[in-house]
Amino acid sequence: MTTVNNNPVIREATTEAPVLEAVDVTKHFALHGVRAHGRGKVVHAVENVSLALHSGRITALVGESGSGKSTLARLLAQLYPITSGEIRRHGTPVRVKGGKAFRKYVSAVQLILQDPFGSFNPVARINVTLMRAVKIHHRGASKAQRQQIIDDLLTQVNLVPPRQYTEKFPHELSGGQLQRVSIARALAADPEVFLADEPVSALDVSIRLGILNLLRKLTDERDVALLYVTHDIASARYFAEHTAVMYAGEIIEYGPSEEVTQRAAHPYTRLLIDSAPDPSRPEGEDRLSDVGQPPSLIDPPSGCRFHPRCPLAVERCRVQSPPRFDLESGHGARCWLYGDDEDAAAHRAHARELPGMTGVLRTGRRADLEPDGDR
Ligand code: SF4
């Protein structure tokens, strides 16, 4: 039996209080100079999203480009003001706009960006960059102590011996080495949260695993909460305990990573999995591209935002936005297929009839999507 949950904070099944959470967060960006019906138009980048991050846990936030996942990470980092909702740290709403409060906040909540080359001063040696961070976060330390802290940070990210790296310029390091330095810089603040925005997607495939393993190790050893923003749902299964899938500014599926990736409930998640890089798939086959492009967030589709691309859409999907239906084991999805009413049962029956949908339905979360009939 499913339960309807209109807007819960999506959290892991733990009694531990979250370190950082977004509660019903919405972000609209104004489009300056664009008006319709006398009103300014906005980009609906993030819509009523709730997500909780816990110490020592990794949460993956997965979606295509433009789904709002990076915007959500920046909202959690307080780089943009939210339009509505709350960002809570240890249960207390926080809004910092600059000055001392902002500096204190970013010490605790560190953002790691996709492109390590873009986040370094190209004419400053690594030691100079790290020393700046160490000076900010270790004010009482002597010069010798600061240098020791830099050596320790580089050792923690497996850049050893550290002095082999401190005198180099960013262009003298590989992408993987530079991403390790950016993680070391983030560690200088001794944060309790890492917001890693596509931390490996700009790197060579061969070194991605090393960086993910490093982030895993640091999460465990330092008991930090890590948000892993990625378009690669396959890596979410490997790397994160918990996965939330974002589409067109909304979280449409969430739960333990094993559940979400192995028994995906939402048709979008299923297509995302089917479109993940797979050497065994015939070249050119990409089920997600086959169903069109993501919608405009200036005028998002009515009802379920995925309906223009969804092979299982019915009339209800076009007019009514689905709530979140909790399934089992902390797994849930925003899709009318998981409703308990007669319309949902008819919807499931209709879905079973569709040619070519077997792959989607048979791997669906609910057994009643199997051809055997309703539970
Ligand atoms: Fe598809 Fe309808 Fe479910 Fe949206 S609510 S994902 S359109 S079946």
Side-chain angles (χ1 to χ4, degrees), residues 86-363:
E86 282 180 352
I87 302 294
R88 293 183 193 159
R89 190 173 157 215
H90 296 293
T92 305
V94 229
R95 258 190 207 217
V96 291
K97 283 187 184 158
K100 203 171 167 187
F102 179 70
R103 285 197 296 278
K104 201 170 161 199
Y105 186 85
V106 295
S107 292
V109 180
Q110 286 278 316
L111 189 63
I112 298 169
L113 297 170
Q114 175 180 358
D115 176 15
F117 290 98
S119 64
F120 282 85
N121 180 347
V123 294
R125 293 183 196 275
I126 297 303
N127 207 54
V128 172
T129 299
L130 290 179
M131 188 59 84
R132 192 169 297 136
V134 170
K135 272 184 185 167
I136 292 169
H137 301 295
H138 299 265
R139 288 187 181 278
S142 67
K143 195 176 170 193
Q145 285 169 330
R146 287 172 182 165
Q147 194 59 57
Q148 184 58 50
I149 291 168
I150 290 174
D151 289 353
D152 290 346
L153 290 171
L154 290 174
T155 303
Q156 283 184 57
V157 297
N158 299 335
L159 291 177
V160 284
R163 298 297 168 94
Q164 191 176 310
Y165 299 93
T166 47
E167 293 312 304
K168 295 210 187 279
F169 289 99
H171 72 269
E172 295 178 291
L173 299 182
S174 70
Q177 288 169 335
L178 209 51
Q179 193 59 298
R180 285 174 190 269
V181 177
S182 68
I183 293 168
R185 181 173 55 184
L187 287 176
D190 196 17
E192 56 184 13
V193 178
F194 276 135
L195 305 171
D197 187 5
E198 302 269 13
V200 294
S201 57
L203 305 179
D204 215 73
V205 174
S206 59
I207 50 177
R208 290 180 184 177
L209 192 58
I211 299 292
L212 292 182
N213 283 337
L214 172 65
L215 288 170
R216 169 88 262 171
K217 179 178 88 106
L218 294 171
T219 304
D220 293 341
E221 287 177 358
R222 292 176 159 252
D223 206 27
V224 296
L226 172 62
L227 180 70
Y228 171 52
V229 178
T230 182
H231 62 275
D232 177 13
I233 195 163
S235 68
R237 180 189 176 202
Y238 157 78
F239 185 53
E241 284 93 2
H242 199 254
T243 292
V245 181
M246 244 181 131
Y247 182 78
E250 299 176 332
I251 288 181
I252 51 87
E253 182 160 4
Y254 54 90
S257 298
E258 187 71 14
E259 283 282 310
V260 172
T261 58
Q262 297 304 295
R263 288 169 288 279
H266 196 283
Y268 173 68
T269 311
R270 189 65 250 163
L271 288 171
L272 202 57
I273 291 167
D274 286 349
S275 302
D278 180 356
S280 64
R281 187 180 307 125
E283 211 174 316
E285 192 178 297
D286 179 350
R287 297 194 63 182
L288 202 50
S289 301
D290 290 349
V291 295
Q293 297 303 309
S296 159
L297 293 183
I298 300 171
D299 288 307
S302 58
C304 171
R305 289 187 176 184
F306 187 54
H307 88 252
R309 301 172 83 190
C310 183
L312 306 178
V314 294
E315 185 53 26
R316 182 190 218 181
C317 308
R318 289 181 257 280
V319 291
Q320 276 181 278
S321 179
R324 293 169 186 154
F325 293 101
D326 288 339
L327 303 170
E328 299 132 23
S329 315
H331 189 183
R334 285 183 69 155
C335 173
W336 284 120
L337 282 167
Y338 300 94
D340 280 331
D341 59 9
E342 284 181 9
D343 286 350
H347 190 175
R348 290 194 288 275
H350 164 74
R352 277 187 226 111
E353 299 295 315
L354 291 176
M357 287 300 106
T358 314
V360 174
L361 296 176
R362 289 182 71 83
T363 48

Side-chain angles (χ1 to χ4, degrees), residues 33-57:
V34 182
R35 301 184 75 78
H37 309 296
R39 298 180 60 188
K41 286 213 145 199
V42 298
V43 177
H44 299 250
V46 172
E47 209 80 71
N48 297 321
V49 163
S50 297
L51 185 73
L53 305 178
H54 296 266
S55 295
R57 304 282 174 77

